[in-house]
Amino acid sequence: MDAARLETSLAGINDFYNRYLDYLSSRILGYEKTLERLFIAFLCGGNVLLEGAPGLGKTSLAKAWAAFFGLEFSRVQFTPDLMPLDIIGSNILEDGPAGRRFTFYRGPIFANVILGDEINRATPKTQSAFLEAMEERRVTFLGTVYPLPDPFFVIATQNPIELEGTYPLPEAQVDRFFMKLRFSMPDFHALKGIIDLADKRIPGKQADPAALAQESKDSLALWTELAPELTAPDGVKSYIVRIVQETHPDRSGVDIIKRFCRYGASPRSAISLHAAARAKAALDGRPNPSYDDVDELLLDVAGHRIILNFEAEAEGITVDSVLNEVRNSVRREFSLREVQGAGA
């Protein structure tokens, strides 16, 4: 791709992103960072886990998000008695001209945007079925494969683990999410704006959903073409690798990791962090990601992939504090390399 085409493509992505922000920020107040992260995950083909208490607007966010893109929206309310077939669908025996036969009726997972609400209230069996379909982008039922729609994007929400009646997601399942975002209480001004917004009753849909859906697909196609051209500098790739390596106790030189970390970030986190950094740079109109892009996205992309030990829990050590220490250590290492390289 030549320089002119690259610049035009970046401008196209940036224009679409700005219209996205204008639409969503007028309906969802106080969560600008979350809106950016959701767009990055969508570009990268990843799925997002939102964690927050009930009533903070997670469902409203998902509905408004789907409305902007003109995509089919479906909500799955997870409960302890929800079964896998309630999500993926099932065969129904029907009478027809040729006699009785089974017809597969698709479940709510066959939509473009899925809100998996309170996923940690479902049993592990149901969680596993949902997350497997999310990862594979298809459903297999009685030997027949049914592909899920394209694009396909999951926004799963979960209540904080300390609330009663929850089933914590296994670490291997959490790793399937591209990002984990915390949905916290909005500040004073945002909350006041939410009250005012409730009185205005802004329409939830735009004029032409079909046109919006096509524009969304065109933007994703443009990103698919553009992404390989946004190659991260070798130094940034090495920076990502060093951060991921330093989260592993058996390879780390960071004391807090050796003492408090049980398992480090997976290779998938390095891939996701690289993809997210490229998307972040593109949204800022830059063809190449930087160290700062990696730093800004680190907690959201890698935080849920770190498992601390019981000693960390007893002493109140958080994943954020551990990752910040790793990031600072690796950043000092790379800054020293640059100084030494300049001196040479």
Side-chain angles (χ1 to χ4, degrees), residues 203-263:
K205 294 184 178 180
Q206 300 199 72
D208 190 351
L212 286 170
Q214 186 58 50
E215 187 176 8
S216 301
K217 292 178 181 178
D218 291 343
S219 295
L220 285 175
L222 178 61
W223 172 253
T224 301
E225 178 186 357
L226 179 63
E229 305 295 328
L230 306 179
T231 305
D234 189 65
V236 174
K237 291 181 181 178
S238 298
Y239 183 63
I240 293 172
V241 171
R242 286 291 297 124
I243 287 177
V244 172
Q245 283 185 328
E246 286 294 327
T247 63
H248 290 262
D250 59 335
R251 299 187 179 187
S252 180
V254 181
D255 291 338
I256 195 172
I257 289 290
K258 292 180 177 180
R259 181 178 176 186
F260 296 115
C261 189
R262 186 154 55 103
Y263 296 110

Side-chain angles (χ1 to χ4, degrees), residues 71-75 87 106-115 147-154:
L71 300 174
E72 183 182 357
F73 172 79
S74 179
R75 174 180 175 178
I87 299 172
R106 302 186 175 198
I109 201 169
F110 286 89
N112 298 114
V113 180
I114 310 295
L115 173 64
L148 295 177
D150 183 39
F152 180 76
F153 185 62
V154 171

